[in-house]
Amino acid sequence: MNINVKTPAVSASTEAFLKRAHKLYINGEWVDGVSGETIDVLDPATGRVISTSTAAVAADVDKAVAAAREAFDKGPWSKMTGIQRGKLISKLASRLEELADELAEIEAIDCGKPVTYAKYVDVGLTANIYHYMAGWASKVSGETVSLANPGDYHAFTLREPVGVVAAITPWNFPLVLTAYKLAPLLAVGCTCIIKPSELTPLSTLRFVEILEEVGFPAGVVNVITGYGSPAGSALVEHHGVDKVAFTGSVTTGRKIAAAATGNLKRVTLELGGKSPMVVFPDADLDRAIPGLAGAIFFHQGQVCTAGTRLYVHKSIHDRVVEGIAAESRKLKIGHGLELDTTMGPLISSAQLQKVMGFLDQGKSEGAETVIGGGRIGDVGFFMEPTVLTNTHDGMSVVREEIFGPVLCVQAYEDDDLDAIAAKANETIFGLAASIWTRDLSVAHKMAKRIKAGSVWINAHNVFDPALPFGGFKQSGWGREEGAEAIRTFTEVKSVCAVL
């Protein structure tokens, strides 16, 4: 299979942005990196260089942390009222909506995702997160406490910002996953340093230009671009950082947890997933089959919550598998900037090779390919949407996070919910899951049994700023979004006065 890949024209504003010299953003200024080194940013659909970013080193991190520390300790950000912070956050959210077309173009060419999805999913959800968290800014408070001991006391709690936060984001959803961290930390009065992936730094850099435009004070948000080492590691280990909020791999998450012990900084980790989808024989297949296909093929499977393990009752196994294969044939594979594209490339040559390696290993272990399984063309990093059957829990394709458009299917015959849930829970991960049935009693019983931070019923990948998000087991620590996000960026102080 081959596709004709050309880079479509972009708007004048996006073209001008791509051509800019992208520096570091520290203390309200765009500055050169100490090393003078740059990193090529590639269009994954063509493999061509579309821009460059600055490769920060430890000395740059020191400057950024100092700026964030100054802005937090001496103001003005932490000294503003919640309403003042909320107004600025709302202004930012509205400006993101106004610039949705440009931001979507940047996200599409940088990440390889379809531009339509980038506009309505990435930018739309991002703006909603800031709108939602803007409302929280004026509602962060403690509570009065009635003490257990006798006596005359006035006791209460204060909820205060944790301080300087290092927000480290991955390459698959830069705008959204930055918002998961930045919106609540700004709402409560923290300051931060953002470290985007070196593969996809562009939308974060454009976002900070917008943040500067709407009037955020200097030092409140700083951006360090560069590699995980030295930039990311220097940031995580820095004693001037009070908390790390990270989204990425389990391997890197473990390293961050270990590095954080230096000054016992707080840590939130949103890590990998191997999300099960359980389909019962009574499921509405006309609704379920497109939903199951979307769960694995959306953004080429490069989603931490992607529905990668499908457990389907034997009585409907063949119909479901054939239906998903048919849905995959409908996908229009091409450059993300083409308006009719519904599936773009993988992020890099390395990621493509990693996914193909998993497929080779799966086939050697007995997995059967129903559809897909190959690379598409020799330009860019495209691969076919893939469905594997005859899989079992001992296979690497079933156990490990692939981060590509690969679905592993298993049939089951058992009607015992505990046994079905045990299959779904047979993983080190616990990020998300979906249940497909018309029987709401079965659905809610299964939701209680499945060990995952998000469980969706008759849907997959439903995200909302009000819903807490995070994982069980090795899928991470803590929660983002909703009221839980406010808690994770604050400390509770108890105050007791003897009357």
Side-chain angles (χ1 to χ4, degrees):
M1 180 178 182
N2 283 290
I3 54 175
N4 183 23
V5 181
K6 295 181 180 179
T7 303
V10 295
S11 64
S13 58
T14 297
E15 185 175 5
F17 170 77
L18 295 176
K19 290 179 178 179
R20 282 206 281 276
H22 297 299
K23 301 182 179 182
L24 309 177
Y25 187 68
I26 299 175
N27 203 28
E29 296 181 349
W30 294 96
V31 298
D32 294 320
V34 170
S35 71
E37 297 179 2
T38 60
I39 302 170
D40 287 340
V41 180
L42 305 183
D43 173 0
T46 64
R48 301 189 187 100
V49 176
I50 52 171
S51 193
T52 60
S53 64
T54 296
V57 295
D60 299 306
V61 171
D62 288 340
K63 294 177 182 178
V65 173
R69 185 89 262 162
E70 178 86 2
F72 180 76
D73 291 340
K74 298 182 180 180
W77 191 247
S78 58
K79 292 179 170 55
M80 284 185 179
T81 67
I83 287 179
Q84 288 173 316
R85 291 195 301 271
K87 285 180 178 179
L88 264 181
I89 298 169
S90 285
K91 187 177 179 182
L92 171 64
S94 296
R95 188 64 177 137
L96 295 177
E97 290 170 332
E98 292 169 358
L99 295 172
D101 289 328
E102 180 189 339
L103 288 166
E105 281 189 331
I106 293 170
E107 204 77 321
I109 196 170
D110 200 11
C111 303
K113 61 184 62 182
V115 68
T116 304
Y117 297 171
K119 179 177 180 179
Y120 293 105
V121 177
D122 295 58
V123 182
L125 178 56
T126 295
N128 279 345
I129 292 168
Y130 288 105
H131 278 305
Y132 175 83
M133 287 298 172
W136 267 107
S138 59
K139 299 170 185 65
V140 180
S141 61
E143 58 186 19
T144 57
V145 180
S146 297
L147 299 188
N149 293 327
D152 292 322
Y153 302 98
H154 175 52
F156 58 94
T157 62
L158 298 173
R159 189 168 286 277
E160 300 179 347
V162 71
V164 175
V165 179
I168 303 176
T169 58
W171 45 260
N172 55 343
F173 290 92
L175 284 172
V176 172
L177 295 177
T178 295
Y180 271 22
K181 298 156 185 58
L182 187 61
L185 76 84
L186 290 176
V188 303
C190 295
T191 60
C192 76
I193 306 95
I194 303 171
K195 161 62 176 73
S197 168
E198 69 276 8
L199 295 175
T200 57
L202 298 180
S203 64
T204 303
L205 292 168
R206 181 66 185 106
F207 166 81
V208 174
E209 290 180 350
I210 299 166
L211 182 140
E212 182 180 36
E213 172 195 328
V214 301
F216 278 74
V220 173
V221 178
N222 306 272
V223 175
I224 292 291
T225 55
Y227 297 106
S229 180
S233 56
L235 190 55
V236 170
E237 295 167 2
H238 206 291
H239 282 212
V241 172
D242 301 303
K243 176 181 171 66
V244 176
F246 169 77
T247 300
S249 70
V250 173
T251 299
T252 304
R254 290 195 185 101
K255 292 178 181 177
I256 287 173
T261 60
N263 66 337
L264 294 180
K265 55 175 64 70
R266 279 50 176 150
V267 177
T268 302
L269 303 172
E270 194 273 282
L271 307 177
K274 195 71 178 175
S275 300
M277 303 185 291
V278 181
V279 185
F280 287 88
D282 70 331
D284 179 353
L285 297 189
D286 290 338
R287 177 180 179 182
I289 287 171
L292 297 167
I296 181 58
F297 299 134
F298 173 64
H299 195 22
Q300 300 78 259
Q302 299 173 128
V303 184
C304 55
T305 57
T308 54
R309 295 183 295 137
L310 174 60
Y311 297 95
V312 56
H313 195 273
K314 186 177 181 179
S315 64
I316 56 171
H317 174 274
D318 291 350
R319 181 180 170 188
V320 170
V321 170
E322 290 167 5
I324 294 173
E327 289 294 319
S328 76
R329 294 187 189 98
K330 298 177 185 177
L331 294 168
K332 174 64 169 61
I333 301 172
H335 198 292
L337 289 174
E338 295 286 359
L339 293 179
D340 60 346
T341 291
T342 54
M343 183 170 171
L346 298 187
I347 189 62
S348 66
S349 175
Q351 184 64 19
L352 175 61
Q353 294 307 312
K354 177 185 174 183
V355 175
M356 297 306 295
F358 271 115
L359 287 179
D360 290 342
Q361 190 169 354
K363 293 173 188 176
S364 71
E365 293 170 343
E368 297 178 2
T369 304
V370 174
I371 195 167
R375 176 175 182 171
I376 302 174
D378 55 6
V379 175
F381 314 123
F382 293 90
M383 75 165 289
E384 298 170 326
T386 302
V387 178
L388 302 178
T389 57
N390 196 36
T391 64
H392 58 77
D393 293 337
M395 292 179 173
S396 58
V397 288
V398 177
R399 294 194 319 270
E400 300 183 43
E401 186 176 38
I402 297 175
F403 234 59
V406 180
L407 177 65
C408 297
V409 185
Q410 294 187 45
Y412 70 89
E413 295 183 75
D414 208 314
D415 293 327
D416 180 70
L417 297 186
D418 288 330
I420 299 169
K423 291 287 288 181
N425 293 332
E426 188 63 31
T427 173
I428 64 170
F429 300 107
L431 189 57
S434 60
I435 300 160
W436 302 78
T437 177
R438 300 175 199 254
D439 189 329
L440 288 182
S441 176
V442 168
H444 289 291
K445 287 175 181 178
M446 278 296 291
K448 288 185 177 180
R449 286 167 169 79
I450 289 179
K451 297 176 181 177
S454 295
V455 179
W456 299 297
I457 296 172
N458 293 323
H460 200 98
N461 283 339
V462 178
F463 303 105
D464 189 275
L467 278 173
F469 179 72
F472 287 20
K473 299 187 277 188
Q474 293 188 38
S475 285
W477 291 349
R479 293 293 181 270
E480 298 179 317
E481 297 297 91
E484 294 295 326
I486 297 299
R487 297 185 184 102
T488 198
F489 288 106
T490 53
E491 297 275 24
V492 175
K493 178 186 289 180
S494 295
V495 180
C496 182
V498 179
L499 303 179

